[in-house]
């Protein structure tokens, strides 16, 4: 077996038994990258030089006595909106084309402490705004299952890199589905933890109250392992929850017999691709056969989620992106005076979708509109949160499709932002409510495109989500398929 | 028509915390540009603010000291605007749910006590500073100040004259300094003031159209700027014009307020709750602890000085205006000085000498014990009040005890009647004409003879004895 195909758990075993070295592992990953990256284009920056050094260090640590950290010597891809000290961090935006942070994000800092190996920084929709990675300011990433199609987004680079075995695992960020939707479209496992579970320090903000970092992995066990490494309170992030994280792998393998799974009617609507609906229904039957008890639930405010999201997320974004003004770092256009410098810098530095959202958000926060848009959206957000609280009174986990369709063709929705926004219709509510959710492969369309199944849990109950997803994964073979590259 | 001004002040006070409000950078004033910065206060991508608890404590202290209600649930908001010295493109401030509300400060103007309402006190971060030096077409930015914690203290429109505004500022400054939350230095910008001012016909209830005046950075300018603006508004109305709601800048050089061009359109700051900071939940127990730790405040101290030391109101007001001054006073009294004498020497000679050297009671070279020691020498007749002025200058300059100075300089008062009589006789002998007129009843010449005797004895003659002897000579 080629080493690049390994999961984190498998790599750990082989590394610790010294059957392979960290250097052999990263070399194998880079051989894979050499073979497929010009077609997939998952990365913005490859850090081959640093990776070699990190692997050597990991090798030394593995040889020394004592137990290895879980991620020691494991090659990771990191979405390019997480700051890596001394390594270009662009957010796939021209406005940060030359930005090298002098600080490290908390998540990569924790992985660094464990001795991970950074393969590179992955492509994304600019500032994480998009669902196809077509909004990257640099290039389009392709879906490894069909290179004519998009990998989803905004963490499309990370999902594609995992699917194409260009890394062992990856980090993504999820504001409205940006981990789960590309994971579903690329046939891998993607988890958005509970808001506050993972530190956002060093994650370039899109919408602060919704953003959350999470793992994109080849299987559910790896998701739990990676979450173990990155979860937990961070004094540098006031919104990170002061709760200690459990060992998430402990939930794996627990019997799911009797677990109540909620099926929300609002998520099985017209417009959903019939192949996706079929795969998800099959998956629910499979869960039932494993002992889970399906229960119909209602999330009555689901229909308002997309609108609510696009008011709140754009409002926060309009403010979060104000710092890119050409004054301190990043791209600056020359202007005859300050105002012209500002205008040219931001006009030329931001892409169309980012500008569209800045304008939307600026409008929603404007005096005279604030009450009608921003405050109203906050109220609806509370209702959506309550929907989940109500539903979770009768079920343990909610099961839905991750995305209404499988991967679409590049360019297909690029000119229709509304159509594009609807690809997050099943994932957005989760961010508004702040609850955890995970997407796991649950089948393929006749075109051989992966379909994702979403498990949604209660606040800080990633364990039940992992438990069910793992049980489902173990009973199926979908995750074992590889794209033909 | 007679008009009445209506004034409200917005005071920005830099808090005396060691570190900035949302990061660990130092708040020290006057360092090399951009040496007290980090990714957080420079507004780099992905960094997050973490509240300095000391800043919250200082705001709560100030709120408690001014009778505010402390909000047990409070939050930060973003105030959005573009400016090069504002690195994030927004200022973290408070909007809805400020930390303190509904307080008051009392001031005395012309013997009348006035309660001035405080609408709110909120926390926010300071911006950096643009530097426009002559270096081609470039401006520079110093972000050392960016993120320094500020309190914005907003008064009700309760002030009715520029003098009241000045008294309010002085009282507020004193309170802040007593609390140790702000050094009150207006020159260095640690205390800044914007004023909202309008005028209305006397007796009218409704407020007139208000104008905001910015850039008032000294007590003197508070009064001058308001005076000017009130006169301007009255003139506009008197000429049949209308006041436009606008922001005007105080130009201290020209002594006028001027409309800020380019700011005609009201800013839309697009305030919204700061999502990077969780709401502050202040615990009642904590505020109680802070309340218990508050120092005695100027008003209470003033009353105590009047009732406990028998000082006149005016003297007590002056002494409590600075905590260091009040402390100095009490230390001198404790060392044996009589309260009234201590007070008189402090507000006279001591304040004069301190002013000459641009010093304050914080760095007063004279120890309270030195003054008390000197007062003892006056009381027991060792030195005269006149000599005491010389002694005072000397102990201030040298740090020596009065007793030592008196000895070294031979300033002990001459109370020996024989010695003084000799001097009196000498003077009479030198001025026989004056003495005849004196004897003939020209009483004002007494002063002349006392003066001459003092001159002859280098001021050391006990004036009481000099007078007695002169009287004796007159009747002999």
């Amino acid at each position: 077996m080629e080493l690049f195909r390994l999961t984190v758990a498998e790599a750990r075993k082989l590394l610790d038994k010294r059957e392979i070295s960290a250097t052999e592992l990263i070399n194998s990953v880079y051989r894979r990258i050499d073979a497929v990256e010009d077609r997939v284009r998952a990365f913005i920056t490859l850090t081959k030089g640093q990776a070699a050094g990190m692997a050597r260090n990991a090798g030394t640590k593995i040889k020394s006595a004592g137990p290895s950290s879980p991620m020691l010597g494991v090659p990771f891809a990191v979405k390019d909106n997480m700051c890596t000290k001394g390594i270009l961090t662009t957010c796939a935006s021209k406005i940060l084309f030359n930005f090298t942070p002098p600080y490290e994000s908390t998540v990569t800092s924790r992985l660094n402490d464990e001795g991970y190996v950074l393969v590179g920084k992955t492509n994304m929709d600019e500032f994480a705004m998009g669902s196809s990675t077509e909004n990257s300011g640099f290039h389009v990433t392709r879906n490894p299952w069909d290179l004519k199609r998009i990998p989803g987004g905004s963490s499309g680079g990370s999902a594609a890199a995992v699917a194409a075995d260009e890394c062992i695992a990856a980090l993504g960020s999820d504001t409205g589905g940006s981990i789960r939707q590309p994971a579903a479209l690329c046939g891998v496992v993607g988890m958005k933890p509970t808001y506050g579970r993972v530190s956002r320090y060093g994650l370039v903000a899109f919408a602060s109250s919704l953003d959350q970092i999470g793992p994109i992995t080849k299987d559910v066990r790896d998701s739990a392992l990676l979450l173990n490494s990155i979860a937990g309170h961070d004094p540098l992030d006031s919104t990170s929850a002061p709760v200690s994280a459990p060992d998430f792998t402990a939930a794996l393998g627990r019997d799911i017999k009797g677990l109540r799974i909620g099926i929300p009617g609002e998520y099985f609507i017209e417009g959903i691709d019939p192949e996706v609906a079929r795969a998800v229904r099959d998956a629910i039957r499979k869960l039932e056969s494993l002992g889970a008890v399906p229960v119909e639930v209602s999330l009555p405010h689901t229909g308002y989620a997309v609108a609510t999201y696009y008011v709140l997320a754009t409002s926060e974004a309009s403010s979060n992106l104000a710092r890119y003004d050409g004054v301190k770092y990043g791209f600056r256009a020359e202007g005859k005076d300050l105002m012209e410098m500002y205008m040219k810098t931001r006009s030329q530095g931001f892409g169309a979708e980012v500008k569209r959202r800045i304008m939307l958000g600026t409008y929603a926060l404007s005096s005279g509109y604030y009450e009608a848009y921003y405050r109203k959206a906050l109220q609806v957000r509370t209702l959506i949160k309550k929907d989940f609280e109500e539903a979770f009174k009768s079920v343990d986990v909610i099961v839905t499709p991750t995305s209404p369709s499988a991967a679409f063709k590049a360019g297909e929705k690029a000119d229709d932002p509304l159509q594009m926004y609807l690809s997050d219709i099943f994932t957005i509510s989760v961010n508004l409510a702040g609850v955890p959710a995970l997407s796991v492969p649950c089948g393929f369309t006749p075109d051989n495109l992966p379909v994702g199944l979403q498990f949604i849990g209660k606040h800080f109950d990633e364990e039940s989500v992992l438990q069910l997803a793992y049980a489902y994964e173990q009973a199926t073979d979908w995750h074992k398929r590889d794209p033909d590259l | 028509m007679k008009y009445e001004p209506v004034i409200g002040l917005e005071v920005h006070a830099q808090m005396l915390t060691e570190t900035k409000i949302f990061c660990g950078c130092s708040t020290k004033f006057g360092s090399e540009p951009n040496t007290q910065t980090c990714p957080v206060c420079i507004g780099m991508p992905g960094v997050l603010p973490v509240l300095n608890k000391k800043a919250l404590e200082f705001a709560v202290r100030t709120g408690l000291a001014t009778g505010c209600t402390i909000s047990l649930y409070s939050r930060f908001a973003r105030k959005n605007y573009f400016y090069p010295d504002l690195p994030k493109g927004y200022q973290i401030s408070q909007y809805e749910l400020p930390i303190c509300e509904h307080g008051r400060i009392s001031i005395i103007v012309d013997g009348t006590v006035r309660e001035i309402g405080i609408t709110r006190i909120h926390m926010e971060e300071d911006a950096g500073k643009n530097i426009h030096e002559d270096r081609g077409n470039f401006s520079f930015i110093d972000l050392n100040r960016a993120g320094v914690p500020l309190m914005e203290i907003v008064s009700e429109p309760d002030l009715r004259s520029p003098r009241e505004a000045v008294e309010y500022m002085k009282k507020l400054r004193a309170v802040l300094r007593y609390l140790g939350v702000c050094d009150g230095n207006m020159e260095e910008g640690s205390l800044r003031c914007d004023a909202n001012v309008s005028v209305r016909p006397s007796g009218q209830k409704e407020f007139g159209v208000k104008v905001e005046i910015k850039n008032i950075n000294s007590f003197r300018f508070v009064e001058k700027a308001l005076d000017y603006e009130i006169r301007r508004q009255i003139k506009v109305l008197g000429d049949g014009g209308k006041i436009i709601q606008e922001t005007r800048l105080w130009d201290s050089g020209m002594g006028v307020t001027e409309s800020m061009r380019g700011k005609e359109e009201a800013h839309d700051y697009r305030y919204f709750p700061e999502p990077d900071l969780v709401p502050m939940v202040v615990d009642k127990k904590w505020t109680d602890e802070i309340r218990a730790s508050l120092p005695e405040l100027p008003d209470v101290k003033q009353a105590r000085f009047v009732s406990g030391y028998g000082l006149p109101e005016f003297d007590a007001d002056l002494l409590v205006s600075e905590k260091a001054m009040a402390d100095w006073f009490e230390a001198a009294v404790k060392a044996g000085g009589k309260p009234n004498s201590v007070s008189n020497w402090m507000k006279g000679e001591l304040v004069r000498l301190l002013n000459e050297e641009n010093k304050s009671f914080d760095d007063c070279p004279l120890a309270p014990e030195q003054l008390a020691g000197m007062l003892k020498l006056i009381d027991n007749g060792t030195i005269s009040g006149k000599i005491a002025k010389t002694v005072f200058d000397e102990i201030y300059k040298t740090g020596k005890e009065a007793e030592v100075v008196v000895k070294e300089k031979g300033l002990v008062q001459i109370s020996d009647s024989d010695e003084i009589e000799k001097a009196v006789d000498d003077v009479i002998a030198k001025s026989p004409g004056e003495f005849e007129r004196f004897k003939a009843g020209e009483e004002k010449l007494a002063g002349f003879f006392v003066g001459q005797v003092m001159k002859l004895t280098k001021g050391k003659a006990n004036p009481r004895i000099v007078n007695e002897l002169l009287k004796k000579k007159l009747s002999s």
Side-chain angles (χ1 to χ4, degrees):
Chain A
M1 184 186 176
E2 296 276 9
L3 297 185
F4 56 74
R5 298 229 187 259
L6 294 174
T7 63
V8 174
E10 290 164 349
R12 175 85 277 120
K13 244 181 235 160
L14 294 176
L15 285 165
D16 286 349
K17 282 200 256 170
R18 309 206 193 146
E19 286 178 22
I20 60 168
S21 75
T23 298
E24 281 164 0
L25 182 56
I26 188 66
N27 286 346
S28 167
V29 166
Y30 262 101
R31 272 198 303 281
R32 175 67 170 176
I33 288 171
D34 289 342
V36 303
E37 175 61 6
D38 62 339
R39 282 171 287 157
V40 179
R41 306 204 69 192
F43 290 89
I44 290 175
T45 304
L46 286 165
T47 49
K48 200 169 180 176
Q50 285 100 326
M54 291 166 104
R56 266 197 309 279
N57 289 341
T60 313
K61 277 194 193 147
I62 291 168
K63 273 184 214 145
S64 73
S68 301
S69 312
M71 300 304 155
L72 182 58
V74 179
F76 275 89
V78 172
K79 188 178 181 180
D80 209 22
N81 60 352
M82 289 168 229
C83 289
T84 40
K85 189 173 176 174
I87 295 167
L88 201 63
T89 300
T90 68
C91 275
S93 180
K94 286 192 182 110
I95 214 155
L96 286 176
F97 79 105
N98 59 355
F99 180 68
T100 303
Y103 49 95
E104 190 80 33
S105 69
T106 294
V107 282
T108 50
S109 171
R110 288 190 178 174
L111 292 178
N112 254 331
D113 291 347
E114 290 199 18
Y116 89 131
V117 176
L118 178 65
V119 176
K121 305 292 292 286
T122 57
N123 198 21
M124 54 188 279
D125 288 296
E126 183 179 5
F127 283 105
M129 297 177 183
S131 310
S132 68
T133 313
E134 290 168 293
N135 294 336
S136 166
F138 303 125
H139 60 256
V140 175
T141 295
R142 301 293 171 160
N143 192 315
W145 293 91
D146 179 349
L147 296 170
K148 289 191 295 298
R149 292 173 189 269
I150 55 86
S154 65
S155 309
S158 283
V162 172
D165 290 314
E166 293 182 271
C167 59
I168 302 302
L171 287 178
S173 72
D174 190 317
T175 306
S178 281
I179 287 175
R180 292 159 287 156
Q181 185 255 19
L185 270 47
C186 290
V188 295
V189 176
M191 163 172 259
K192 183 205 88 77
T194 308
Y195 183 81
R197 180 65 100 181
V198 178
S199 169
R200 292 186 296 116
Y201 183 82
L203 169 69
V204 181
F206 159 18
S208 313
S209 75
L210 300 160
D211 296 343
Q212 190 64 190
I213 294 170
I216 298 179
T217 54
K218 294 175 186 176
D219 64 17
V220 175
R221 176 173 293 282
D222 279 7
S223 193
L225 279 169
L226 188 43
L227 191 58
N228 274 352
S229 295
I230 61 174
H233 178 66
D234 177 11
L236 297 178
D237 176 3
S238 310
T239 64
S240 85
V243 295
S244 57
D247 174 5
F248 294 103
T249 60
L252 309 179
R254 276 185 204 150
D255 197 345
I256 66 163
K257 207 159 274 161
L259 274 188
R260 291 157 305 164
I261 53 171
I263 318 296
E266 293 84 357
Y267 280 61
F268 293 84
I269 45 163
E270 256 182 82
I272 183 170
D273 185 316
E275 291 302 328
V276 169
R278 180 191 52 74
V280 171
R281 272 195 293 273
D282 287 352
I284 292 167
R285 267 195 292 279
K286 175 60 95 179
L287 286 164
E288 199 174 356
S289 76
L290 295 170
V293 184
V295 179
E296 273 192 33
V297 292
S298 175
L299 299 167
H301 296 92
T302 300
Y304 302 105
V306 172
T308 302
Y309 174 85
Y310 277 96
V311 171
L312 295 179
T314 58
S315 293
E316 292 182 19
S318 72
S319 174
N320 282 333
L321 271 60
R323 66 188 65 197
Y324 310 109
D325 57 6
V327 173
K328 305 161 295 276
Y329 45 73
F331 171 72
R332 174 195 290 177
E334 296 301 324
K336 66 177 190 315
D337 56 19
L338 177 68
M339 192 51 72
E340 192 181 284
M341 187 280 282
Y342 275 160
M343 306 233 283
K344 281 190 171 171
T345 296
R346 289 171 67 82
S347 300
Q348 295 167 20
F350 290 133
E353 180 61 25
V354 171
K355 281 188 263 193
R356 181 179 296 125
R357 295 198 193 191
I358 289 174
M359 283 188 280
L360 262 173
T362 303
Y363 183 80
L365 288 177
S366 296
S367 121
Y369 298 97
Y370 182 89
E371 298 293 326
Y373 292 105
Y374 186 81
R375 196 184 299 280
K376 184 62 75 184
L378 274 188
Q379 288 163 347
V380 180
R381 182 178 188 171
T382 303
L383 294 176
I384 289 170
K385 211 177 279 181
K386 283 190 178 145
D387 278 357
F388 279 100
E389 281 163 15
E390 199 53 42
F392 281 127
K393 283 181 185 162
S394 53
V395 298
D396 300 295
V397 170
I398 291 169
V399 181
T400 77
T402 306
S403 171
S405 70
F408 44 93
K409 289 194 173 118
E412 195 180 322
K413 297 184 183 178
D415 297 326
D416 188 347
L418 280 184
Q419 205 47 45
M420 189 72 94
Y421 293 172
L422 289 176
S423 34
D424 293 332
I425 190 163
F426 298 145
T427 47
I428 270 174
S429 298
V430 165
N431 298 77
L432 291 169
V435 292
L438 177 146
S439 178
V440 65
C442 73
F444 286 84
T445 65
D447 293 338
N448 199 35
L449 296 171
V451 175
L453 179 69
Q454 176 172 242
F455 293 95
I456 305 169
K458 299 172 194 168
H459 279 108
F460 295 103
D461 186 19
E462 287 84 356
E463 288 168 283
S464 296
V465 167
L466 288 162
Q467 179 187 355
L468 265 169
Y470 184 76
Y472 174 78
E473 184 188 69
Q474 291 307 297
T476 56
D477 286 331
W478 312 115
H479 65 290
K480 289 181 181 157
R481 288 202 203 172
D482 283 315
D484 188 18
L485 272 167
Chain B
M1 198 185 301
K2 252 186 85 75
Y3 287 94
E4 176 188 53
V6 174
I7 303 164
L9 296 184
E10 283 172 24
V11 174
H12 285 90
Q14 253 181 27
M15 296 193 220
L16 276 176
T17 54
E18 296 280 316
T19 55
K20 293 186 179 180
I21 186 166
F22 299 123
C23 65
C25 290
S26 167
T27 53
K28 216 175 107 224
F29 179 81
S31 303
E32 282 293 299
N34 298 309
T35 53
Q36 284 162 198
T37 55
C38 72
V40 174
C41 55
I42 282 183
M44 285 207 162
V47 297
L48 295 169
V50 176
L51 177 63
N52 179 347
K53 197 177 172 190
K54 204 82 196 165
L56 177 61
E57 185 193 319
F58 280 10
V60 170
R61 273 174 86 78
T62 309
L64 290 172
T66 51
C68 285
T69 309
I70 307 301
S71 313
L72 298 182
Y73 184 90
S74 164
R75 71 179 313 157
F76 283 101
R78 290 188 186 175
K79 179 179 180 177
N80 295 285
Y81 65 96
F82 284 96
Y83 207 59
D85 69 9
L86 189 70
K88 296 187 294 296
Y90 57 84
Q91 179 193 33
I92 303 179
S93 180
Q94 294 196 278
Y95 190 57
E96 294 171 332
L97 306 174
I99 184 70
C100 312
E101 285 182 286
H102 315 305
R104 78 204 78 80
I105 275 183
S106 61
I107 57 170
I108 303 175
V109 176
D110 297 331
T112 312
V113 177
R114 295 258 292 118
E115 293 262 304
I116 308 302
I118 288 178
T119 315
R120 56 187 275 156
I121 300 175
H122 74 242
M123 294 175 278
E124 60 187 28
E125 56 179 342
D126 209 343
K129 207 167 63 182
N130 291 347
I131 303 169
H132 307 288
E133 273 170 14
D134 187 28
R135 287 197 227 180
N137 283 324
F138 290 97
S139 288
F140 294 82
I141 296 158
D142 177 7
L143 294 176
N144 280 351
R145 208 180 61 185
V148 167
L150 297 178
M151 269 184 285
E152 182 173 323
I153 303 154
V154 182
S155 87
E156 291 287 311
D158 286 346
L159 299 159
R160 293 289 173 269
S161 72
R163 271 199 56 210
E164 288 190 359
V166 171
E167 287 308 314
Y168 168 83
M169 273 298 280
K170 282 188 173 161
K171 177 56 79 61
L172 179 59
R173 178 176 181 273
V175 170
L176 295 174
R177 286 173 54 85
Y178 266 67
L179 296 171
V181 298
C182 174
D183 67 16
N185 190 331
M186 290 188 88
E187 271 151 40
E188 284 176 7
S190 39
L191 197 65
R192 290 167 247 163
C193 167
D194 299 336
N196 286 303
V197 55
S198 63
V199 298
R200 62 182 171 191
S202 297
Q204 178 182 304
K205 269 203 156 166
E206 297 76 36
F207 291 148
V209 177
K210 72 174 179 188
V211 166
E212 187 184 11
I213 311 175
K214 285 190 175 290
N215 198 31
I216 312 177
N217 52 15
S218 83
F219 287 113
R220 204 156 50 90
F221 294 153
V222 170
E223 190 153 12
K224 280 191 156 182
L226 288 171
D227 265 335
Y228 174 87
E229 179 59 21
I230 290 162
R231 271 188 282 115
R232 187 190 72 83
Q233 290 189 15
I234 290 174
K235 183 164 187 328
V236 168
L237 293 174
D239 293 349
K242 273 194 171 147
I243 304 298
I244 312 158
Q245 179 159 359
E246 62 178 346
T247 300
R248 298 176 73 87
L249 210 58
W250 167 245
D251 181 334
S252 57
M254 302 293 288
V256 297
T257 62
E258 275 184 301
S259 188
M260 281 172 80
R261 255 170 267 284
K263 291 219 172 182
E264 278 86 355
E265 322 102 80
H267 263 298
D268 184 354
Y269 290 121
R270 308 191 311 278
Y271 282 100
F272 74 103
E274 165 58 280
D276 285 334
L277 289 164
V278 289
M280 284 164 284
V281 181
V282 172
D283 153 15
K284 176 85 169 41
K285 199 174 138 252
W286 188 55
T287 59
D288 286 347
E289 278 168 27
I290 295 172
R291 194 191 298 275
S293 77
L294 290 181
E296 185 184 36
L297 291 165
D299 287 349
V300 178
K301 204 185 276 288
Q302 194 263 9
R304 183 167 64 79
F305 277 19
V306 171
S307 63
Y309 296 119
L311 294 179
E313 297 257 352
F314 180 84
D315 290 20
D317 271 347
L318 180 76
L319 290 178
V320 304
S321 65
E322 290 283 343
K323 186 170 180 293
M325 192 176 186
D327 290 347
W328 203 98
F329 166 79
E330 294 210 278
V333 171
K334 202 176 161 208
K338 283 189 188 134
N340 264 304
S341 311
V342 171
S343 164
N344 286 336
W345 279 90
M346 283 176 73
K347 60 185 204 188
E349 296 302 297
L350 186 49
V351 166
R352 180 179 59 80
L353 290 174
L354 288 173
N355 284 348
E356 273 172 19
E357 293 187 73
N358 231 335
K359 283 188 167 151
S360 71
F361 279 90
D362 288 313
D363 49 5
C364 179
L366 186 74
E369 294 75 17
Q370 283 176 278
L371 176 62
M374 190 194 82
L375 293 176
K376 207 178 287 169
L377 296 182
I378 299 176
D379 288 349
N380 66 20
T382 307
I383 55 172
S384 65
K386 193 164 159 60
I387 286 289
K389 292 208 168 152
T390 315
V391 175
F392 188 83
D393 279 3
E394 203 60 23
I395 59 174
Y396 179 93
K397 268 181 215 129
T398 61
K400 290 178 181 167
E401 290 304 327
E403 215 173 342
V404 175
V405 170
V406 167
K407 243 179 230 161
E408 279 177 2
K409 302 235 159 187
L411 296 172
V412 177
Q413 180 165 260
I414 304 167
S415 299
D416 178 340
S417 303
D418 294 349
E419 204 178 336
I420 295 174
E421 189 161 4
K422 203 172 150 277
V424 171
D425 289 343
D426 279 2
V427 168
I428 291 172
K430 269 185 210 155
S431 317
E434 280 85 355
F435 190 62
E436 283 310 313
R437 277 159 57 203
F438 184 36
K439 274 184 95 167
E442 206 172 318
E443 276 178 28
K444 65 175 191 225
L445 278 170
F448 166 78
F449 285 104
V450 173
Q452 290 300 309
V453 172
M454 283 302 185
K455 204 171 162 190
L456 201 64
T457 58
K458 298 197 176 79
K460 290 187 286 185
N462 184 327
R464 186 175 49 80
I465 300 175
V466 175
N467 276 317
E468 277 170 15
L469 285 169
L470 268 174
K471 242 179 243 168
K472 208 175 90 186
K473 298 281 167 195
L474 203 63
S475 54
S476 71

